[in-house]
Amino acid sequence: MRDTPGNNDIVSRGGGFSWPWSRARDVNIGSGARTENSTVNLGSPARVQNSTVNLGSMARVENSTVDAEPSGRSRRADRRREQAAGLEGGAAVAGWKSFIVTAVVMAALVFHALPHVGRFGGLSPVEMRAFLAMVGAYIPVIGDFDAARWLVPAVAGWMWQPVAAGIGAGILRLIALNAAKKDPLSAIWIAAAALAVDAATWLFVGLTLWGSAFSAIEGEAVIALLKLEAGALVVLFVLLRRSGRFRAGRNDAVQGGDD
């Protein structure tokens, strides 16, 4: 069949004309291509990779920080061990100081309290002296030193002391015994205050009774033991003060070196 010119026009213009539904199909195809392009989204994987690299660098920074921490912890642990060792050494030294001070204060307490035992027990001065002589017979002699020779007459020479002064000095020595557990230096000061009470009663009362309430031998023994007690307290005080200054200077030096 022969084509008409109208048909030829249609065929010849086929490439330039598109039906509305054909145009819609072309639009769909184009949108599909754009959808695929947006789905692929090559930029996001690149950003993920970049973020992965950043996380790796952060991980390396964190690892370096963790590696630096053990050295700080080890230094703190060493410092704690040094402090613990210092505290243990200080506790041992304080234990010996407390023991020595307690022994001295206890001996003074027994010496000054024993003369009042007979008074509270209803013993007369003669009976009390006989009792002290019996006790002195059991005190051993160490080398050439006879402790009973001084202790027995000194205790007998304290039987004249007023009860109020004896109780006051005894309370101070009990306080010193309690303080010696934590602060030996303060215990020495308290024991010195008790000795001051006894020395005051001896000076103002005891000397006036010399030869009447006690004999000259007993008076000399009292003076000797008072001097011995005072000397022991002075020696302990000097030793504790020197030890405290030495430890304080050492601690300051150690702290200055650590800083």
Coordinates of all heavy atoms in Angstrom, one line a residue, residues 145-198:
F145 N 74.6 -2.3 143.7 CA 73.5 -1.4 143.9 C 72.4 -2.1 144.8 O 71.9 -3.1 144.4 CB 72.9 -0.9 142.6 CG 71.8 0.0 142.8 CD1 72.0 1.3 143.3 CD2 70.5 -0.4 142.5 CE1 70.9 2.2 143.4 CE2 69.4 0.5 142.7 CZ 69.6 1.8 143.1
D146 N 72.2 -1.6 146.0 CA 71.1 -2.1 146.8 C 69.9 -1.1 146.8 O 70.0 0.0 147.4 CB 71.7 -2.2 148.3 CG 70.7 -2.9 149.2 OD1 69.6 -3.3 148.7 OD2 70.9 -3.0 150.4
A147 N 68.9 -1.5 146.0 CA 67.8 -0.6 145.8 C 67.0 -0.4 147.1 O 66.5 0.7 147.4 CB 66.9 -1.1 144.7
A148 N 66.9 -1.4 147.9 CA 66.2 -1.4 149.2 C 66.8 -0.3 150.1 O 66.1 0.3 151.0 CB 66.1 -2.7 149.9
R149 N 68.1 -0.1 150.0 CA 68.7 0.9 150.9 C 68.2 2.3 150.7 O 68.1 3.1 151.7 CB 70.2 0.8 150.6 CG 71.0 1.8 151.4 CD 72.5 1.9 151.0 NE 73.2 3.0 151.6 CZ 74.5 3.3 151.3 NH1 75.1 2.7 150.3 NH2 75.1 4.3 152.0
W150 N 67.7 2.6 149.5 CA 67.2 3.9 149.2 C 65.6 3.9 149.2 O 65.0 4.9 149.6 CB 67.7 4.4 147.9 CG 69.2 4.6 147.9 CD1 70.1 3.7 147.4 CD2 69.9 5.7 148.4 NE1 71.4 4.2 147.6 CE2 71.3 5.4 148.2 CE3 69.5 6.9 149.0 CZ2 72.3 6.3 148.6 CZ3 70.5 7.8 149.4 CH2 71.9 7.5 149.2
L151 N 65.0 2.8 148.7 CA 63.6 2.8 148.5 C 62.9 2.8 149.9 O 61.9 3.5 150.1 CB 63.2 1.6 147.6 CG 63.5 1.7 146.2 CD1 63.2 0.4 145.4 CD2 62.8 2.9 145.5
V152 N 63.3 1.9 150.7 CA 62.6 1.7 152.0 C 62.6 3.0 152.8 O 61.5 3.4 153.3 CB 63.2 0.5 152.8 CG1 62.6 0.4 154.2 CG2 62.9 -0.8 152.0
P153 N 63.8 3.6 153.1 CA 63.7 4.8 153.9 C 63.0 6.0 153.2 O 62.4 6.9 153.8 CB 65.2 5.2 154.1 CG 65.9 4.4 153.2 CD 65.1 3.2 152.8
A154 N 63.1 6.0 151.8 CA 62.4 7.1 151.1 C 60.9 7.0 151.2 O 60.2 8.0 151.4 CB 62.9 7.1 149.6
V155 N 60.4 5.8 151.1 CA 59.0 5.6 151.2 C 58.5 6.0 152.7 O 57.5 6.6 152.9 CB 58.6 4.1 150.9 CG1 57.1 3.9 151.2 CG2 58.8 3.9 149.4
A156 N 59.3 5.6 153.7 CA 59.0 5.9 155.0 C 59.1 7.4 155.3 O 58.3 8.0 156.1 CB 60.0 5.2 156.0
G157 N 60.0 8.1 154.6 CA 60.1 9.5 154.7 C 58.9 10.3 154.1 O 58.8 11.5 154.3
W158 N 58.0 9.6 153.3 CA 56.9 10.3 152.7 C 55.6 10.1 153.4 O 54.6 10.7 153.0 CB 56.7 9.8 151.2 CG 57.5 10.6 150.2 CD1 58.5 10.1 149.4 CD2 57.3 11.9 149.8 NE1 58.9 11.1 148.6 CE2 58.2 12.2 148.8 CE3 56.4 12.9 150.2 CZ2 58.3 13.4 148.1 CZ3 56.5 14.1 149.5 CH2 57.4 14.4 148.5
M159 N 55.6 9.5 154.5 CA 54.4 9.2 155.2 C 53.8 10.5 155.9 O 52.6 10.5 156.3 CB 54.6 8.2 156.3 CG 54.8 6.8 155.8 SD 54.8 5.5 157.0 CE 56.3 5.9 158.0
W160 N 54.6 11.5 156.0 CA 54.1 12.8 156.5 C 53.3 13.6 155.5 O 52.7 14.6 155.9 CB 55.3 13.6 157.0 CG 56.3 13.8 155.9 CD1 57.4 13.1 155.7 CD2 56.2 14.8 154.9 NE1 58.0 13.6 154.6 CE2 57.4 14.7 154.1 CE3 55.4 15.9 154.6 CZ2 57.6 15.5 153.0 CZ3 55.6 16.7 153.6 CH2 56.8 16.5 152.7
Q161 N 53.4 13.3 154.2 CA 52.9 14.1 153.2 C 51.3 14.3 153.3 O 50.6 13.3 153.6 CB 53.1 13.6 151.8 CG 52.7 14.5 150.6 CD 53.0 13.9 149.3 OE1 52.9 12.7 149.1 NE2 53.2 14.8 148.3
P162 N 50.8 15.5 153.2 CA 49.3 15.7 153.3 C 48.6 14.9 152.3 O 49.1 14.7 151.1 CB 49.2 17.2 153.1 CG 50.5 17.8 153.4 CD 51.5 16.8 153.0
V163 N 47.4 14.4 152.6 CA 46.7 13.5 151.8 C 46.2 14.2 150.5 O 46.3 13.7 149.4 CB 45.4 12.9 152.5 CG1 44.6 12.1 151.6 CG2 45.9 12.1 153.7
A164 N 45.9 15.5 150.6 CA 45.4 16.2 149.5 C 46.5 16.4 148.4 O 46.3 16.2 147.2 CB 44.9 17.6 149.9
A165 N 47.7 16.6 148.9 CA 48.9 16.8 147.9 C 49.2 15.4 147.3 O 49.4 15.3 146.1 CB 50.1 17.3 148.7
G166 N 49.1 14.3 148.1 CA 49.4 13.0 147.5 C 48.3 12.6 146.5 O 48.7 12.0 145.5
I167 N 47.0 12.9 146.8 CA 46.0 12.6 145.8 C 46.1 13.4 144.5 O 45.9 12.9 143.4 CB 44.6 12.8 146.5 CG1 44.4 11.7 147.6 CG2 43.5 12.6 145.4 CD1 43.1 11.9 148.3
G168 N 46.4 14.7 144.7 CA 46.5 15.5 143.5 C 47.7 15.1 142.6 O 47.5 15.0 141.4
A169 N 48.8 14.8 143.2 CA 50.0 14.3 142.4 C 49.7 13.0 141.8 O 50.1 12.7 140.7 CB 51.2 14.2 143.3
G170 N 49.0 12.1 142.5 CA 48.6 10.8 142.0 C 47.7 10.9 140.8 O 47.8 10.2 139.8
I171 N 46.7 11.8 140.8 CA 45.8 12.0 139.7 C 46.6 12.5 138.5 O 46.4 12.0 137.3 CB 44.7 13.0 140.1 CG1 43.8 12.3 141.1 CG2 43.9 13.4 138.8 CD1 42.7 13.3 141.6
L172 N 47.5 13.4 138.7 CA 48.3 13.9 137.6 C 49.1 12.8 137.0 O 49.3 12.7 135.7 CB 49.2 15.0 138.0 CG 48.6 16.4 138.4 CD1 49.6 17.3 138.9 CD2 47.9 17.0 137.1
R173 N 49.7 11.9 137.7 CA 50.5 10.8 137.2 C 49.6 9.8 136.5 O 50.0 9.2 135.5 CB 51.3 10.1 138.3 CG 52.4 11.0 138.8 CD 53.3 10.2 139.8 NE 54.4 11.0 140.2 CZ 54.5 11.8 141.2 NH1 53.4 11.9 142.1 NH2 55.5 12.6 141.5
L174 N 48.4 9.6 136.9 CA 47.4 8.7 136.2 C 47.1 9.3 134.8 O 47.0 8.6 133.8 CB 46.2 8.5 137.0 CG 46.3 7.6 138.2 CD1 45.0 7.6 139.0 CD2 46.7 6.2 137.9
I175 N 46.9 10.6 134.8 CA 46.7 11.3 133.5 C 47.9 11.2 132.6 O 47.8 11.0 131.4 CB 46.3 12.8 133.7 CG1 45.0 12.9 134.5 CG2 46.2 13.5 132.4 CD1 44.7 14.3 134.9
A176 N 49.1 11.3 133.2 CA 50.3 11.1 132.4 C 50.4 9.7 131.8 O 50.9 9.5 130.7 CB 51.5 11.5 133.2
L177 N 50.0 8.7 132.6 CA 50.1 7.3 132.1 C 49.1 7.2 130.9 O 49.4 6.5 129.9 CB 49.7 6.4 133.2 CG 50.7 6.1 134.3 CD1 50.1 5.2 135.4 CD2 52.0 5.5 133.7
N178 N 48.0 7.8 130.9 CA 47.0 7.7 129.8 C 47.6 8.5 128.6 O 47.4 8.0 127.5 CB 45.7 8.3 130.3 CG 44.6 8.1 129.2 OD1 44.6 7.1 128.5 ND2 43.6 8.9 129.2
A179 N 48.2 9.6 128.8 CA 48.7 10.4 127.7 C 49.9 9.8 127.1 O 50.2 10.0 125.9 CB 49.1 11.8 128.2
A180 N 50.7 9.0 127.8 CA 51.9 8.4 127.3 C 51.6 7.4 126.1 O 52.5 7.2 125.3 CB 52.6 7.6 128.4
K181 N 50.4 6.9 126.0 CA 50.1 6.0 124.9 C 50.1 6.7 123.6 O 50.4 6.1 122.6 CB 48.7 5.4 125.2 CG 48.6 4.6 126.5 CD 47.2 4.1 126.7 CE 47.1 3.3 128.0 NZ 45.7 2.9 128.3
K182 N 49.7 8.0 123.5 CA 49.5 8.7 122.3 C 50.6 9.9 122.2 O 51.0 10.1 121.1 CB 48.1 9.3 122.1 CG 47.0 8.2 122.1 CD 45.7 8.9 121.9 CE 44.6 7.8 121.9 NZ 43.2 8.4 121.7
D183 N 50.9 10.5 123.3 CA 51.8 11.7 123.2 C 52.7 11.6 124.4 O 52.5 12.2 125.5 CB 51.0 13.0 123.3 CG 51.8 14.2 122.9 OD1 53.0 14.0 122.8 OD2 51.2 15.3 122.8
P184 N 53.9 10.9 124.3 CA 54.8 10.7 125.4 C 55.4 12.0 125.9 O 55.6 12.2 127.1 CB 55.9 9.8 124.8 CG 55.2 9.1 123.7 CD 54.3 10.1 123.1
L185 N 55.6 13.0 125.0 CA 56.1 14.3 125.4 C 55.2 15.0 126.3 O 55.6 15.6 127.3 CB 56.5 15.1 124.1 CG 57.3 16.4 124.4 CD1 58.6 16.0 125.0 CD2 57.5 17.2 123.1
S186 N 53.9 15.0 126.0 CA 52.9 15.6 126.9 C 52.9 14.9 128.2 O 52.7 15.5 129.3 CB 51.5 15.6 126.2 OG 51.6 16.4 125.0
A187 N 53.0 13.6 128.2 CA 53.0 12.8 129.5 C 54.2 13.3 130.4 O 54.0 13.3 131.6 CB 53.1 11.3 129.1
I188 N 55.3 13.6 129.8 CA 56.4 14.0 130.6 C 56.1 15.4 131.3 O 56.4 15.6 132.4 CB 57.7 14.2 129.7 CG1 58.1 12.8 129.2 CG2 58.8 14.8 130.5 CD1 59.3 12.8 128.3
W189 N 55.5 16.3 130.5 CA 55.1 17.6 131.1 C 54.1 17.3 132.3 O 54.2 18.0 133.3 CB 54.4 18.4 130.1 CG 55.4 19.1 129.2 CD1 55.7 18.8 127.9 CD2 56.3 20.2 129.5 NE1 56.6 19.6 127.3 CE2 57.0 20.5 128.3 CE3 56.4 21.0 130.6 CZ2 57.9 21.5 128.3 CZ3 57.4 22.0 130.6 CH2 58.1 22.3 129.4
I190 N 53.2 16.4 132.1 CA 52.2 16.2 133.2 C 52.9 15.6 134.4 O 52.6 15.9 135.6 CB 51.0 15.3 132.7 CG1 50.3 16.0 131.5 CG2 50.1 15.0 133.8 CD1 49.3 15.1 130.8
A191 N 53.8 14.6 134.1 CA 54.5 14.0 135.2 C 55.4 15.0 135.9 O 55.6 15.0 137.2 CB 55.4 12.8 134.7
A192 N 55.9 16.0 135.2 CA 56.7 17.0 135.8 C 55.9 17.9 136.7 O 56.3 18.4 137.8 CB 57.4 17.9 134.7
A193 N 54.6 18.1 136.3 CA 53.7 18.9 137.1 C 53.4 18.2 138.5 O 53.4 18.8 139.5 CB 52.4 19.2 136.4
A194 N 53.3 16.8 138.4 CA 53.1 16.1 139.6 C 54.3 16.1 140.5 O 54.2 16.3 141.7 CB 52.7 14.6 139.2
L195 N 55.5 16.1 139.9 CA 56.7 16.2 140.7 C 56.8 17.6 141.3 O 57.3 17.7 142.5 CB 57.9 15.9 139.8 CG 59.3 16.0 140.5 CD1 59.4 15.0 141.6 CD2 60.4 15.8 139.4
A196 N 56.3 18.6 140.6 CA 56.4 19.9 141.2 C 55.5 20.0 142.4 O 55.8 20.7 143.4 CB 55.9 20.9 140.2
V197 N 54.3 19.3 142.4 CA 53.5 19.3 143.6 C 54.2 18.6 144.8 O 54.2 19.1 145.9 CB 52.2 18.6 143.3 CG1 51.3 18.4 144.5 CG2 51.4 19.3 142.2
D198 N 54.8 17.5 144.5 CA 55.6 16.8 145.6 C 56.7 17.7 146.1 O 57.0 17.7 147.3 CB 56.1 15.5 145.1 CG 54.9 14.5 144.8 OD1 53.9 14.6 145.5 OD2 55.1 13.7 143.9

